[in-house]
Each structure stands twice: as structure tokens, then as C-alpha cells.
Amino acid sequence: MAKERKRPRPPRNEDESESEGEGEREGSPSSERSVESERVAASEQRKRPRLSDRRDSDASSDGDGDGDGDGDGQDPESELADGDGTIQSITCVNFMCHSRLQVDVGPSINFVIGHNGSGKSALLSALTICLGGKAGDTNRGRSLKDYIKNGEDSATLIVKLKNSGVGAFKRELYGKSIYVERTFNRNGQSGFKMRNKEKKIISNKRYELDAITDHFTLQLGNPMNVLTQDEAREFLLKSTPESKYVFFLRGVQLEKLNTDYAVIEDLVVGMEISLQNVPAQIEILQKNRDRAYRRYELYRRQDSHRQRLDTLTHQFIWYSVVEQETVVAKMDEILADMDRELGTCQQEIEVTSANLAQAKTKAEEAEEAERHLRNSREPYEEKDKELTTRFGDGKNKLRANMNESRQIRENVKDTKRREERAEESVRAEEQRLENANGESFAQLTRSIETAESEILEYDSRIQAKEEDIPRLKSVLTSTEGELAQHSGSLRAKEQERNECQSRLSYLQKEQGGRLDAYPADVKKLVQRIRTSGNFREMPVGPIGTHVTLLEPQWSSILETTLGGMLNAFIVTSKADQERLSKLAKECNAKVSVMIGSRSNMDTSDKEPELRFQTILRALDIDNSLAKSQLIISQAIEQTILIEDLREAKNTMYDRERLRNVRACLSFDPNKAGHGERFTYGSGGEAISGPVRPLAAQPRMKTNVAQRQALERGNMERAERQLRELKHYQESLLEKERSQQDAIKSCKLDIESLRKVQQKKRHLVQRLEDERDSNSNESNEVDLLRRQLEEIRKNRTTAEGLLEASMVERETVNHEQAAIKAEITTLRSEMETLDQELQILEGRSSKYQKEKHDAREKNNSAEAELSRVEASKALQMTAKREAEENITNFSKYAFDHTNNVRVPVPENETKESLAKKIKQLDRDIHRAQERLGDDPATLEQKFDELEAELVAAQKEAKALTDLYNALIAALAYRRKRWQMFRKNITLRAKNQFEYLLRERGFRGSIILKHDQRKLDIKVQPDEASRGKGHGAKSLSGGEKSFSTVCLLMALWEAMNSPIRCLDEFDVFMDGVNREVSAKMMIAFARKSVGKQFFLLTPLAMTNMTLGDDVKVHRLTDPERGQTSLQF
């Protein structure tokens, strides 16, 4: 082998790279940071607002900076002390309302006055647009073409700037003046021309204009620098603290610095992203270096590779043994899981068997109850059919009687009309005879007429009595119906009394064994269980023998609720279940046999609150199997007991559903021993139904004496209610008798009146006979009288038939009322039975479904058990085959590995070992093929890649240092920015207070930087010591004056040579306007090198102005003109 060469070194860290490269770099990041910091600080010094000499000491005493970056040269204000950058003239051609306007302005203070519409604001618009401002900055138009005068195609603006002082801009090119010219037309074309003093074009590029405005700090886009008419009005009258703060930041150029810093931050973020890619590039170089290293190491690993190949081959041989051993271990785990799964399946079968047996019991009980109820309903149906037939026959009789009565009544009316005609004929004939026979005949005739009138009176009295009879019979019918209905209630109460008596009788007999309450077949089954010894574990049952009721008042309801479960038996295995079911069939005992578990069931977290009584809490169960089965099948731990029916219903349905409550049982206050069950449907709907008492001896143990006392109380209450019902029935019977007596009395009165009436008729007959014997009456009178008598007999016969028909109708009505009352009572009872039958049908259907579901689950559990057992058998066969493979594979492995077992790493597989063997064998052959190459070449390539990696790491370190330097510089600038803001704020506050004192006001500026708000507090009377008022509480003039003071205070913090304010005094009174104007003039005189443009529509005649104040009055617009002419 070739001689061993030095091994490649691992990559050096960044500290080593930096120390090695320090001598090669010309400058460090710290030196670059220092240069950069000085450059940026100098730029900030040029941009930041400069303070006047009068406030420098105050600002510096309150600042927290160290003064770095201020420079040691000439004061920046002195550079513009000669007025460089101020406006000398403004020329407008076809601009807005001006055809041509040239204004030569003064170097310091310029008042532009003129009425509204004279074009004052046009001068500010022209100044802004000509010096590079946007069309929208003036709020006069959206584009440049909006500023061209009507009727013209283009406009030209020329602004002359002073350029003769120390701070002149390119004085060698422009001379003492700079002309800025801007021309634009309606086609959207616009251009600039910068001319020198001789008006020669120096440049037409926009960046040249930007250089001029930057040099002179002409901030025409700054709303605080050039306050247009709208902005001035907004600032003076309507500005909010937020808008004032925005004006403040923009005016002192802090906003622009903040924006510049944001751009720098974006650049730093970009650098950070670039630095994030550096590790990936270094990683690529590292991989290339490592690849070369691996190729170099290939020459050194040939011996170890062969040893490794032998080891891998032995491991591959032994892997088959390990693999089979792993299979056997997994099979053992699987078999253990299967054993556990078999136990689970067995438990599942026990539970499903118990549920199936319970479901069968419930379904059989529901079917038996439904069948019993249907059988008990059949007599009601037959009775209803019979009564309905009788009621229909009665209706037919009434219909026939009404038709017959109608005919008889018509016959009576006709007979009466004939009688009246016959009487008239007799009276006429008798009058004739009276005239012929004298006074005796007349006397007899009057007596006859008197008797006949009395007969008619008796007719009226009889008719009145006959009309009273139907009314009395109607009242009697109502009483009889009430009596029939009451008889049904009386029978129900008697049945309730008998049930109480039956239960009491059962309790009095409960003095023998505990099985006395169970059927004989159940007793026989218990005896067979005791004598049989074929059970793995003795069955538990009946369940009721292991249950003691602690609250006897619930015995009747709970006996019915638990039902067949109290007769059920419990076993612990499938085999015992089959044996016991066979014994029950032999004994003809219809009981459920369920499979239970001995595990202790904990229901503490599944029970309702302790304030509720439950079935489980009301029972004492001495057997865990019985208790668990009742919990599983009857949910006794979640069925609450509430005695008051109304409270039970409100608890279940009139509030949020109670936790761990499935159902509620309560007493029926109207029926002793009866109850009501409240529960929920599958959809959460309310379901309720009656609970009938069990008419049998109670199966649950209880305090017999207490239970007997309760049942005696129930029976006494039922007997007391029965006595009350009987007493009421007697009162109804007495009422019925009195009504019957009234009808009889009415009929006797009618009979008596008829007898008296008959006597009167006999008297009339006798008098007529006497009159006829004393007169020579003709055969005609006799004939008429006989006809009259015949008609009267017919009328009497018809009236008798009518009375008989009426009596028959009343009799039928009485019978119909009794039948109807009986039908109503019967159907009410049938309806109650139907409701109970409907509940039983729903319960039966529910239990049948539960039975079907339980059978399906049981079958599924048994199928799962069979499947697991079959799988276990297959798994055992596979395990035996795997163990045989282990024996065979071990023999082969020992033969090929010198009888030494070679361990196989856990993370290796057969495929990975084969792959490694194949790869290692291939590597050995390839390395052998490449052994003829020069190792020095590989070493040289590795050194080159190592050097390239080190260089990249050094470069990354340098870039990181630069990034950190920029971060530090940005933080330093941010700190300086905050210092500038603090000094400027202090300068503005002091200037504002100073200006207010010019008029005797007192106030302050309130700046909240964190909320970005600027507001003022002003006290008009300096002598007052109040806290001051906000701007809204001041008068119009005071507010305008205070706001002007604020504006001048902010101007003092600005560095632009030009300040413009439009219509600053339109909302001031004369006093405030004069004070404000004088103050602004004084302020302007103190501002050396600054030029002021103050526009007002008001005259300046009443003010004394100095030589340094120039007033420009624009021509007033003519009246009625639509455009201004200049």
C-alpha cells in the first residue's frame, strides 16, 4: 500500500477564519460602520429642522443626545441668511383665471390681498406646480389641464429664485438668479426649463429641478409650508389632534426621515434573506469537500472492508434465525392478545346474553299486557255497539214521533177552526131564537157563554202546564246524564278501593317464606336448582329475593316498573345459562336467565345529584350480581323518584335536561297506588305514561308494618273519597226524585183541570138542554149543536193523541239521554284504554326492537368468539412451523460460521444486509480498479476544496458583520430621530407659549407621540390660573389666533425658506386679526432668510406696515362676469 498521507482536517470555525483573514482585509466592518454612521449623521443634520439661536440653549438642556453629527463648520442657517432660494417673482400665462400676471415679491413679508375670485390662491397654485408639485397638492384640480384658462390650449409658469448668497446653487452656471419655467397643455404634455440669470436654458431635466429644491429645502409639497385656502381653513377651524400631529411630522420632515429609515429596514431585510441562503451554499461546498475526502479515504479502507464484508455475510446467514425468532416472539404476543380478546369476547357474550334475556322478558311482558288490555277492551266494544244500536233506534222513534205529532197538531188546529165556525153558527141561530123567545132564553144563553169562557180558561191553564213538562223533563235528563257519569267515577273509585284492599290483603298474608310472593312454577324452579349439582356456580335468583325496599310508599310503582326482572335469575357462564334455561322450561317457569359478571360496578360518576332520590338509593341489594344486572337492564341509578306529580313534570321538562337522569317516577294524586313515568324519546322529546299498580303480593322485602300502614291509609282515603262520591250521588238522586215529583205534580194538575173542565162542559150541556126545552128551536139548531159536539169530541180526541205523543217523546228523550250518558262514560273509559293500549304498543315495539338488537349483538359476539378461536388455532400451527425453522436454520448457520453465533444489529433487515454486502463488494472491486490512480491528485483536489470552503466561510462572516453594523447604525439613527423629535417638540412648545404671551394669553401644546395626537390648551386671560381650554371651547377669533400661534411655532421648527398661508384671518374679528397680523410680521422679521406669503381677502389699511412688508393687491373681479379678465 502507498504510504499513509495526512487526513483532511474538519472545517475550521468562523473565529479561526476571521483571525486568519484580518491581515488581508484593508478595512474592518467597524471602520465601515464608522464611515457610514458619519455620512448618515451628516445627511440627517442637513435634513433635520434647525432651531433659532434663541431656543438652542433650552432644547440642548432638555435633549438626551450627545451632539454628534452637528458638525463643526458654519451654522446651516447662516448659509441662507442672505435669502438664497427665496422667490423674486412669479409669472403666470393662461393660468387659471389669469391671462398674464407677474408679481414681483419682496424678500421677506408679502401680503396678497384682494376680493374673493381675484386669483390670490392661483399664485400659491402656480408656485407649487412650477416648482415640481403635483396638480392635486393645491386642491384646485385633479390634473394640469384643469389649471389652463378656458379657451386656451396651454399654460406657462415662471418662478425666479434668488441665488446670490453663500449657499447659492451652482452659481458658476446659473449666476445670481435661477429661472424655473414649466409649460403644459391640454394634451397632457408637460416640461421644465431651468434658465440662468441671462435666461439661457441650463437644463430641462426633472432631476435638476429636484436638486435645486433639495438644495434650498423648498418643501412645496409640505402642507405646513404652503397652506392652501382649504388646508388653512381645515387647520384653523376643523383640525383634529390627529390631523395636527400629521401636519407636525410632515412639516418638520420627521415623516420623511421615518420613511427613509423604513426603506433602509427593507434593505436590511433583503440582506437578512441573502444571509439565510449562505448556509446552504456553504453546505454545498462542505459536501463537495466531504466527497473528495471520502474518495481519498477509499484507499485506506480496503482491509477493513473485507473484514466488514465477512461480518455482514455471517450476519446475513444468522438473520434467518433471528427473523424466525422474532416471528415466534410476535406470535407469542399475538397469542397473548388473542387470549385477552377471548376473555373480552366471553364477557361480551355474557353481557349480550343478559341483555337478550332481559329484552325477551320485557317483550313477553309487554305482549302479555297488550293482549290482556285488548281482551279487557272487547266487552266495552260490544257494550258500545249495543248502546249505539239502541241510540239509533231511539232516534228513529223520535223522528217518527215528531212526524206524527206534527200531523196531530195540524189536525187539532183544523178542528179548532171548525169548532169556532160551528160555535159562530150556533150563536147566530141562538140569537135568532132569543129574539123570538124572550128573556129566559137570553139568561140561559149568558150562563152557557160564561161556562164556555171558563172552559177556554181551563184550556189555557192546561196548555201552560203541558208546556212546563218538556222543560222539567230536559232538566231531569241533564241530571240523569250527570248521575250516569258520576256512576262511572263511583265504579272507578270502588275499583281503586278494592285494589288497595287486595294489596293490603297480600301484605297481611306476607308472613311466610320469601318465595310466597312468586308463582308456583318459580318456587318449583328454585327447588330444582337447590337439588341440582350441575352448576359451576350456584345461580342467583329470583332477583327480588335479594332486594329490600327502604321506602315502602314506592312499593306498588317499583314492583310494576321492575316487572319481570324481579323474577329473573343470574348465572356467570354460558353453560350455566343453558342448564338453567332447560330447568326453567321443564318447570314451565317463564323467567329470564342472564349472564352476569362478578366485577364490582362503580356508578358514582353516573348518578344524578344527591338531592334527587333514585331507585338505586331507595333499594338495599345484598347481591352484587343482582345489583349490577338491575343497573344494566333497568338504569336504576339514573331513574329519580319525586312524589309530587307537578314537581316531577317541571323537573324533567321545564328546565335544562338534568345530567345522568333518564327517567322520573311520581305518584298519581287521584289514584292510590298508581303513578306516572316521565322520560325522553330517541330525539329528546318528552314521553310520559301511567304506571298501574301490581295486583299481586309484593316481591321485594320491605317493612311490612309501614307498608300495611301506607296501604291502610290509601284504602281509608279511597273509602273516604268513595263516601263523598256516594253522598254526592245521593244528592243527585234526591234532585232527580224532586224533578220527577215536579213532573208528576204537573201531570196531576193537568188531570184535575181537565176534570173541572169536563164538569163545565156537562153544565154547558145541561143548560143547553134546558134552553132547548123552553124554546121552539128548529131542527136547524139541533143539527148545528150536534155538529159542534162532534167537532169538540174530535178535538178532544186529537188533543189526547197529541198529549200521548208528547209523553212518548219525553220518554224516548229520557231514554236517549241515559243511553248517551252511558255511551259517553263508556267511550271515555275506552279512550283511556286506547291510550294505555297505544303506550303498550309503542313499548312492545320498542322492546321487540331491543330484543332484535340484543340478539344481533349476541350473535355477533358469538361469531367473534368463534373467529378468534379459529385464528388462535391457525396461529399455534404457524408458531410450531416457525420453531421447526429455527432449529433447521440454526444448524445451517453454525455449520457456516465456525459454530459461533454472530449477533445481528436490531436496526438491520435482510434486505439492508444484502444491500450492504452487494454495495461493499462493489466498492471493493471499484476501489481496486482505481488503485492505479495518483493519490496525490486526490489530495490536491481535497486541499483546493478545503480552501474554497474556508474562503466562503470568511466571506459569510464579513457579510454577517456588515449586516450587524447596518442594524446598529439603523438603531442609532432611530435614536437620533427620537432625539430630534424631542428637541423639535420642546422648541415648538416654547415658541407657542412665547407667541401666546404676545397677546396676554397663556397655554401649551400637548403632544402624545404614542397616540399620534397634537392638541393645544389655551387660557385667554393670563391672569386666570385655570387649566386652560381646548380649541373647541374658544371663540372663533381666539381659536383662529391660537391656531396661528401654533402654526408659527411649527414654522419655527422648519428649515424651508418659504412659508405660505392662505386666508388666515377670515374667521377672526378685528382685534384678533390685527394682533395676529402684527405678530406674524414680527415673527417674520425675526426669521432671517425666510420669505412669507400671507393671503387675505381683507384690506390692510388700518395697520401700520414697515418697509420690509410688501402688499400686492389683485384686481377685483367685475360684477356679473363669468371669468376674470387680467
Side-chain angles (χ1 to χ4, degrees), residues 665-700:
L665 296 175
S666 181
F667 293 127
D668 187 339
N670 300 318
K671 295 182 181 180
H674 292 248
E676 194 78 14
R677 178 183 175 88
F678 303 99
T679 184
Y680 304 98
S682 58
E685 68 277 7
I687 298 177
S688 62
V691 180
R692 290 178 172 272
L694 186 66
Q697 187 173 348
R699 294 162 292 178
M700 292 186 292

CSV table of all heavy atoms in Angstrom, one decimal, residues 665-700:
chain,number,residue,atom,x,y,z
A,665,LEU,N,-90.1,8.9,38.2
A,665,LEU,CA,-91.4,8.3,38.6
A,665,LEU,C,-92.0,9.2,39.6
A,665,LEU,O,-91.3,9.8,40.5
A,665,LEU,CB,-91.1,6.9,39.2
A,665,LEU,CG,-90.5,5.8,38.2
A,665,LEU,CD1,-90.2,4.5,39.0
A,665,LEU,CD2,-91.5,5.5,37.1
A,666,SER,N,-93.4,9.2,39.6
A,666,SER,CA,-94.1,10.1,40.5
A,666,SER,C,-95.4,9.4,40.8
A,666,SER,O,-95.9,8.5,40.1
A,666,SER,CB,-94.3,11.5,39.9
A,666,SER,OG,-95.0,12.3,40.9
A,667,PHE,N,-96.1,9.9,41.9
A,667,PHE,CA,-97.4,9.4,42.3
A,667,PHE,C,-98.5,10.1,41.6
A,667,PHE,O,-98.4,11.3,41.2
A,667,PHE,CB,-97.6,9.6,43.8
A,667,PHE,CG,-96.7,8.8,44.7
A,667,PHE,CD1,-96.0,9.4,45.7
A,667,PHE,CD2,-96.7,7.4,44.5
A,667,PHE,CE1,-95.2,8.6,46.5
A,667,PHE,CE2,-95.8,6.6,45.3
A,667,PHE,CZ,-95.1,7.2,46.3
A,668,ASP,N,-99.6,9.3,41.3
A,668,ASP,CA,-100.8,9.9,40.7
A,668,ASP,C,-101.7,10.4,41.9
A,668,ASP,O,-102.1,9.6,42.7
A,668,ASP,CB,-101.6,8.9,39.9
A,668,ASP,CG,-102.8,9.5,39.1
A,668,ASP,OD1,-103.2,10.6,39.5
A,668,ASP,OD2,-103.2,8.9,38.1
A,669,PRO,N,-101.9,11.7,42.0
A,669,PRO,CA,-102.6,12.2,43.2
A,669,PRO,C,-104.1,11.8,43.3
A,669,PRO,O,-104.7,11.9,44.3
A,669,PRO,CB,-102.5,13.7,43.1
A,669,PRO,CG,-102.3,14.0,41.6
A,669,PRO,CD,-101.5,12.8,41.1
A,670,ASN,N,-104.6,11.3,42.1
A,670,ASN,CA,-106.1,11.0,42.1
A,670,ASN,C,-106.3,9.5,42.2
A,670,ASN,O,-107.5,9.1,42.4
A,670,ASN,CB,-106.7,11.5,40.7
A,670,ASN,CG,-106.5,13.0,40.6
A,670,ASN,OD1,-106.8,13.7,41.5
A,670,ASN,ND2,-106.2,13.4,39.4
A,671,LYS,N,-105.3,8.7,42.1
A,671,LYS,CA,-105.5,7.2,42.2
A,671,LYS,C,-104.4,6.6,43.1
A,671,LYS,O,-103.2,6.7,42.8
A,671,LYS,CB,-105.4,6.6,40.8
A,671,LYS,CG,-106.5,7.0,39.9
A,671,LYS,CD,-106.4,6.3,38.6
A,671,LYS,CE,-107.4,6.7,37.6
A,671,LYS,NZ,-107.3,6.0,36.3
A,672,ALA,N,-104.8,6.0,44.2
A,672,ALA,CA,-103.9,5.5,45.2
A,672,ALA,C,-103.2,4.3,44.6
A,672,ALA,O,-103.8,3.4,43.9
A,672,ALA,CB,-104.6,5.0,46.5
A,673,GLY,N,-101.9,4.2,44.7
A,673,GLY,CA,-101.1,3.1,44.2
A,673,GLY,C,-100.7,3.3,42.8
A,673,GLY,O,-99.8,2.6,42.3
A,674,HIS,N,-101.3,4.2,42.0
A,674,HIS,CA,-101.0,4.5,40.6
A,674,HIS,C,-99.9,5.6,40.6
A,674,HIS,O,-99.7,6.3,41.5
A,674,HIS,CB,-102.2,5.0,39.9
A,674,HIS,CG,-103.2,3.9,39.7
A,674,HIS,ND1,-103.5,3.4,38.5
A,674,HIS,CD2,-104.1,3.3,40.6
A,674,HIS,CE1,-104.5,2.4,38.6
A,674,HIS,NE2,-104.8,2.4,39.9
A,675,GLY,N,-99.2,5.6,39.4
A,675,GLY,CA,-98.1,6.5,39.2
A,675,GLY,C,-98.0,7.0,37.8
A,675,GLY,O,-98.8,6.6,36.9
A,676,GLU,N,-97.0,7.8,37.5
A,676,GLU,CA,-96.7,8.4,36.2
A,676,GLU,C,-95.2,8.3,36.0
A,676,GLU,O,-94.4,8.6,36.9
A,676,GLU,CB,-97.2,9.8,36.1
A,676,GLU,CG,-97.3,10.4,34.7
A,676,GLU,CD,-98.5,9.9,34.0
A,676,GLU,OE1,-99.5,9.4,34.6
A,676,GLU,OE2,-98.6,10.1,32.7
A,677,ARG,N,-94.9,8.0,34.7
A,677,ARG,CA,-93.5,7.8,34.3
A,677,ARG,C,-93.1,8.9,33.3
A,677,ARG,O,-93.8,9.0,32.3
A,677,ARG,CB,-93.2,6.4,33.8
A,677,ARG,CG,-91.7,6.2,33.3
A,677,ARG,CD,-91.6,4.8,32.7
A,677,ARG,NE,-90.2,4.7,32.1
A,677,ARG,CZ,-89.2,4.2,32.8
A,677,ARG,NH1,-89.3,3.9,34.1
A,677,ARG,NH2,-88.0,4.1,32.3
A,678,PHE,N,-92.1,9.7,33.5
A,678,PHE,CA,-91.6,10.7,32.6
A,678,PHE,C,-90.2,10.3,32.1
A,678,PHE,O,-89.3,10.0,32.9
A,678,PHE,CB,-91.6,12.1,33.3
A,678,PHE,CG,-92.9,12.5,33.9
A,678,PHE,CD1,-93.1,12.4,35.2
A,678,PHE,CD2,-93.9,13.1,33.1
A,678,PHE,CE1,-94.3,12.8,35.8
A,678,PHE,CE2,-95.1,13.5,33.6
A,678,PHE,CZ,-95.3,13.3,35.0
A,679,THR,N,-90.1,10.4,30.8
A,679,THR,CA,-88.8,10.0,30.2
A,679,THR,C,-88.6,10.8,28.9
A,679,THR,O,-89.4,11.7,28.6
A,679,THR,CB,-88.6,8.5,30.0
A,679,THR,OG1,-87.3,8.2,29.5
A,679,THR,CG2,-89.7,8.0,29.0
A,680,TYR,N,-87.5,10.4,28.1
A,680,TYR,CA,-87.2,11.1,26.9
A,680,TYR,C,-87.2,10.1,25.7
A,680,TYR,O,-86.8,8.9,25.9
A,680,TYR,CB,-85.9,11.8,26.9
A,680,TYR,CG,-85.8,12.8,28.0
A,680,TYR,CD1,-85.1,12.5,29.2
A,680,TYR,CD2,-86.3,14.1,27.9
A,680,TYR,CE1,-85.0,13.4,30.3
A,680,TYR,CE2,-86.2,15.0,29.0
A,680,TYR,CZ,-85.5,14.6,30.1
A,680,TYR,OH,-85.4,15.5,31.1
A,681,GLY,N,-87.6,10.5,24.5
A,681,GLY,CA,-87.5,9.7,23.3
A,681,GLY,C,-86.1,9.7,22.7
A,681,GLY,O,-85.2,10.4,23.2
A,682,SER,N,-86.0,9.0,21.6
A,682,SER,CA,-84.6,9.0,21.0
A,682,SER,C,-84.2,10.3,20.5
A,682,SER,O,-83.0,10.6,20.4
A,682,SER,CB,-84.7,8.0,19.8
A,682,SER,OG,-85.7,8.3,18.9
A,683,GLY,N,-85.2,11.2,20.1
A,683,GLY,CA,-84.9,12.5,19.6
A,683,GLY,C,-84.9,13.6,20.7
A,683,GLY,O,-84.8,14.8,20.4
A,684,GLY,N,-85.0,13.1,22.0
A,684,GLY,CA,-85.0,14.1,23.1
A,684,GLY,C,-86.4,14.6,23.4
A,684,GLY,O,-86.6,15.5,24.3
A,685,GLU,N,-87.5,14.1,22.7
A,685,GLU,CA,-88.8,14.6,23.0
A,685,GLU,C,-89.3,14.0,24.3
A,685,GLU,O,-88.9,12.9,24.8
A,685,GLU,CB,-89.8,14.2,21.8
A,685,GLU,CG,-90.0,12.7,21.7
A,685,GLU,CD,-89.0,12.0,20.9
A,685,GLU,OE1,-87.9,12.6,20.6
A,685,GLU,OE2,-89.1,10.8,20.6
A,686,ALA,N,-90.3,14.7,24.9
A,686,ALA,CA,-90.9,14.3,26.2
A,686,ALA,C,-91.9,13.1,26.0
A,686,ALA,O,-92.7,13.1,25.1
A,686,ALA,CB,-91.6,15.5,26.8
A,687,ILE,N,-91.7,12.1,26.8
A,687,ILE,CA,-92.6,10.9,26.8
A,687,ILE,C,-93.1,10.6,28.2
A,687,ILE,O,-92.3,10.6,29.1
A,687,ILE,CB,-91.9,9.7,26.2
A,687,ILE,CG1,-91.5,9.9,24.7
A,687,ILE,CG2,-92.8,8.5,26.2
A,687,ILE,CD1,-90.7,8.8,24.1
A,688,SER,N,-94.4,10.4,28.4
A,688,SER,CA,-94.9,10.1,29.7
A,688,SER,C,-96.0,9.1,29.5
A,688,SER,O,-96.6,8.9,28.5
A,688,SER,CB,-95.5,11.4,30.4
A,688,SER,OG,-96.6,11.9,29.6
A,689,GLY,N,-96.3,8.3,30.6
A,689,GLY,CA,-97.3,7.3,30.6
A,689,GLY,C,-97.6,6.9,32.0
A,689,GLY,O,-96.8,7.0,32.9
A,690,PRO,N,-98.8,6.3,32.2
A,690,PRO,CA,-99.2,5.8,33.5
A,690,PRO,C,-98.5,4.6,34.0
A,690,PRO,O,-98.0,3.8,33.2
A,690,PRO,CB,-100.7,5.6,33.4
A,690,PRO,CG,-100.9,5.2,31.9
A,690,PRO,CD,-99.9,6.0,31.2
A,691,VAL,N,-98.4,4.4,35.3
A,691,VAL,CA,-97.9,3.2,35.9
A,691,VAL,C,-98.9,2.6,36.8
A,691,VAL,O,-99.3,3.2,37.8
A,691,VAL,CB,-96.6,3.5,36.7
A,691,VAL,CG1,-96.0,2.2,37.3
A,691,VAL,CG2,-95.5,4.2,35.8
A,692,ARG,N,-99.5,1.5,36.3
A,692,ARG,CA,-100.5,0.8,37.1
A,692,ARG,C,-100.0,0.0,38.2
A,692,ARG,O,-98.9,-0.6,38.1
A,692,ARG,CB,-101.4,-0.1,36.2
A,692,ARG,CG,-102.2,0.6,35.2
A,692,ARG,CD,-102.9,-0.3,34.3
A,692,ARG,NE,-103.9,0.3,33.4
A,692,ARG,CZ,-105.1,0.6,33.8
A,692,ARG,NH1,-105.6,0.2,34.9
A,692,ARG,NH2,-105.9,1.3,32.9
A,693,PRO,N,-100.7,-0.1,39.3
A,693,PRO,CA,-100.1,-0.9,40.5
A,693,PRO,C,-100.2,-2.4,40.2
A,693,PRO,O,-101.0,-2.8,39.4
A,693,PRO,CB,-101.1,-0.5,41.6
A,693,PRO,CG,-102.3,-0.1,41.0
A,693,PRO,CD,-102.0,0.5,39.7
A,694,LEU,N,-99.3,-3.1,40.8
A,694,LEU,CA,-99.2,-4.6,40.6
A,694,LEU,C,-100.2,-5.2,41.5
A,694,LEU,O,-100.1,-5.1,42.7
A,694,LEU,CB,-97.8,-5.1,40.8
A,694,LEU,CG,-97.6,-6.6,40.5
A,694,LEU,CD1,-97.7,-6.8,39.0
A,694,LEU,CD2,-96.2,-7.0,41.0
A,695,ALA,N,-101.2,-5.9,41.0
A,695,ALA,CA,-102.3,-6.5,41.8
A,695,ALA,C,-101.8,-7.9,42.2
A,695,ALA,O,-102.4,-9.0,41.8
A,695,ALA,CB,-103.6,-6.6,41.0
A,696,ALA,N,-100.8,-8.0,43.0
A,696,ALA,CA,-100.2,-9.2,43.5
A,696,ALA,C,-99.4,-8.9,44.7
A,696,ALA,O,-99.2,-7.8,45.1
A,696,ALA,CB,-99.3,-9.9,42.4
A,697,GLN,N,-99.0,-10.0,45.4
A,697,GLN,CA,-98.2,-9.8,46.6
A,697,GLN,C,-96.9,-9.2,46.3
A,697,GLN,O,-96.2,-9.7,45.3
A,697,GLN,CB,-98.1,-11.2,47.3
A,697,GLN,CG,-97.4,-11.1,48.7
A,697,GLN,CD,-97.4,-12.5,49.3
A,697,GLN,OE1,-98.1,-13.4,48.9
A,697,GLN,NE2,-96.7,-12.6,50.4
A,698,PRO,N,-96.3,-8.3,47.0
A,698,PRO,CA,-95.0,-7.6,46.7
A,698,PRO,C,-93.9,-8.6,46.8
A,698,PRO,O,-93.9,-9.4,47.8
A,698,PRO,CB,-94.9,-6.5,47.7
A,698,PRO,CG,-95.9,-6.8,48.8
A,698,PRO,CD,-97.0,-7.6,48.1
A,699,ARG,N,-93.0,-8.6,45.9
A,699,ARG,CA,-91.9,-9.5,45.9
A,699,ARG,C,-90.6,-8.9,46.6
A,699,ARG,O,-89.8,-9.7,47.1
A,699,ARG,CB,-91.5,-9.8,44.4
A,699,ARG,CG,-92.6,-10.6,43.7
A,699,ARG,CD,-92.4,-10.5,42.2
A,699,ARG,NE,-92.6,-9.2,41.7
A,699,ARG,CZ,-92.5,-8.8,40.4
A,699,ARG,NH1,-92.1,-9.7,39.5
A,699,ARG,NH2,-92.7,-7.6,40.1
A,700,MET,N,-90.5,-7.6,46.6
A,700,MET,CA,-89.3,-7.0,47.3
A,700,MET,C,-89.6,-7.0,48.8
A,700,MET,O,-90.7,-6.7,49.3
A,700,MET,CB,-89.1,-5.6,46.8
A,700,MET,CG,-88.6,-5.6,45.3
A,700,MET,SD,-88.1,-3.9,44.8
A,700,MET,CE,-89.7,-3.1,44.8
